[in-house]
Amino acid sequence: AQSVAQPEDQVNVAEGNPLTVKCTYSVSGNPYLFWYVQYPNRGLQFLLKYITGDNLVKGSYGFEAEFNKSQTSFHLKKPSALVSDSALYFCAVRDRGSQAGTALIFGKGTTLSVSS
Amino acid sequence: EPEVTQTPSHQVTQMGQEVILRCVPISNHLYFYWYRQILGQKVEFLVSFYNNEISEKSEIFDDQFSVERPDGSNFTLKIRSTKLEDSAMYFCASSEASSRTYEQYFGPGTRLTVT
C-alpha cells in the first residue's frame, strides 16, 4: 500500500534561516512526488513536483525539494525562510504506473512556523 | 490564474439530512476529485471522476455518497444521510486529462458541520 510519512507535526525556524520539512514515502513502484501548501482558510496550493530527471526540483516561492530514492525521501527545503512561509505543508505521492485519475496519497501535514 | 471554486464555504446540517457540496473545476480540466480532511487528520481521497463516470473511489465513498456533473461547469458531491462523522473539510480538485505531470489543483474547501 502507498503511504507518506511526515515525521514532524511542527517545524519552527527563525526568519532568514534555512528550513527543511521532511517527507518519506512508500510505493510499490517508482513515485511521482508532490508538495502542497495550505494557508488558513485556503485550499491546497501546488508547490512543486518530482516526475523524473534531476533529483533536485525547484518550485514556487523559492522552495525546492530533493528526491532521494535510496532513502525514499522527498524533503522540502528553502535556503532562507520568510515569516510569510508560515503555513501547513503536505507531501503527497502517486505510483508512477498509475493513470491520470488516480488519487494522491497525502501525509498528515507539517505546520511550519517562521518567527521574526 | 484559473482557480477551482467551491460553494458553500461552510455548511451546517442536522444528522440524517442530505447535503450537496458544489465545485466548479478549472474549465479545461477533465479529471475531477473529492477529498476530505477531518479536523487534525490527513487529507483523504474520496473519489475521482472522468468522462461522466467514477474513475476510482476509496473505501470511505460508500452508498451514502454520490457525485455528479450536472452541467458543463459544476461537479457535485452529495451525502444522502449525513452522520456526525461526516463533519470535515471537503476539497474539490481537478487536473488535465492529457497531462502526464499529474498535479491536481484544489479549491478552498467546504467545511461541513453535522450536528
Side-chain angles (χ1 to χ4, degrees):
Chain A
Q2 301 174 67
S3 65
V4 177
Q6 293 182 243
E8 302 154 317
D9 290 335
Q10 179 146 348
V11 171
N12 299 309
V13 298
E15 188 173 33
N17 284 358
L19 69 89
T20 299
V21 182
K22 296 179 180 178
C23 171
T24 59
Y25 66 88
S26 175
V27 298
S28 56
N30 292 314
Y32 288 124
L33 293 157
F34 305 82
W35 276 101
Y36 284 84
V37 60
Q38 185 180 28
Y39 297 100
N41 301 315
R42 299 288 299 275
L44 284 74
Q45 295 180 37
F46 170 71
L47 269 182
L48 52 77
K49 64 195 178 201
Y50 171 78
I51 303 299
T52 188
D54 194 346
N55 289 344
L56 183 65
V57 293
K58 295 185 183 298
S60 305
Y61 312 120
F63 283 94
E64 58 190 28
E66 186 168 13
F67 171 61
N68 187 317
K69 187 173 182 178
S70 63
Q71 296 185 6
T72 62
S73 67
F74 189 57
H75 300 332
L76 181 70
K77 300 180 180 183
K78 187 173 182 180
S80 178
L82 299 173
V83 172
S84 58
D85 293 331
S86 299
L88 183 58
Y89 290 80
F90 291 96
C91 182
V93 68
R94 176 196 258 146
D95 191 311
R96 185 180 294 264
S98 66
Q99 298 175 15
T102 302
L104 289 171
I105 306 300
F106 283 90
K108 63 179 174 62
T110 298
T111 298
L112 173 66
S113 178
V114 182
S115 57
S116 58
Chain B
E1 183 176 337
E3 292 183 334
V4 176
T5 59
Q6 291 184 242
T7 54
S9 57
H10 190 193
Q11 174 88 48
V12 181
T13 189
Q14 290 189 328
M15 192 168 51
Q17 295 297 304
E18 175 183 287
V19 294
I20 297 176
L21 309 183
R22 291 181 167 81
C23 168
V24 178
I26 294 173
S27 61
N28 64 331
H29 287 185
L30 296 178
Y31 277 90
F32 314 120
Y33 312 82
W34 284 101
Y35 291 80
R36 79 173 185 188
Q37 184 181 28
I38 295 172
L39 188 63
Q41 298 187 23
K42 291 185 181 185
V43 176
E44 302 173 292
F45 169 74
L46 293 177
V47 65
S48 61
F49 191 85
Y50 172 69
N51 199 26
N52 285 320
E53 61 182 28
I54 291 174
S55 177
E56 182 183 7
K57 62 182 180 179
S58 72
E59 294 177 350
I60 302 169
F61 194 86
D62 61 22
D63 292 343
Q64 293 298 313
F65 292 90
S66 63
V67 288
E68 189 178 27
R69 184 125 162 103
D71 53 44
S73 59
N74 290 284
F75 179 53
T76 62
L77 174 69
K78 181 191 291 186
I79 309 175
R80 290 189 181 82
S81 179
T82 51
K83 306 170 190 172
L84 294 175
E85 55 264 37
D86 293 328
S87 295
M89 181 73 87
Y90 288 80
F91 292 107
C92 175
S94 67
S95 64
E96 297 178 52
S98 60
S99 171
R100 293 185 60 81
T101 60
Y102 300 160
E103 66 261 36
Q104 296 172 16
Y105 293 87
F106 285 77
T110 293
R111 181 169 298 283
L112 177 65
T113 302
V114 182
T115 61

